[in-house]
Amino acid sequence: HRVYKPEIMLGAVSYSPDISTIWGEMKSYFVNNGVMLDFILFTSYEAQVEALMNKQIDLAWNGPLAHVRTQMRTNNESLSLGMRDVDQSLSPS
């Protein structure tokens, strides 16, 4: 019997009742493709940013303001891996 231990812990904010289902499906996709990923849902972006800064999560699915807060807290050293198409108009050109 193999014990599940995530290699990557992702944080996301539970801003909608569908979020748990969406991230559950994402987790299944990654695990089925050999990436041991799990997720933690937060009630606020502030709590999620704190968890990221305290190394309780490896990745954060941030909104635009939380992204800026993370950039400020890391002296612009945090790495952005992607952006939703609906948020692209909020980024500097």
Side-chain angles (χ1 to χ4, degrees), residues 9-47:
M9 185 62 72
L10 180 136
V13 173
S14 184
Y15 60 85
S16 164
D18 298 330
I19 294 300
S20 183
T21 301
I22 291 166
W23 284 108
E25 290 174 9
M26 292 287 282
K27 174 184 173 179
S28 294
Y29 173 83
F30 280 100
V31 170
N32 289 336
N33 286 281
V35 178
M36 296 291 105
L37 176 132
D38 206 346
F39 65 95
I40 298 172
L41 296 178
F42 292 90
T43 57
S44 71
Y45 284 104
E46 291 83 1

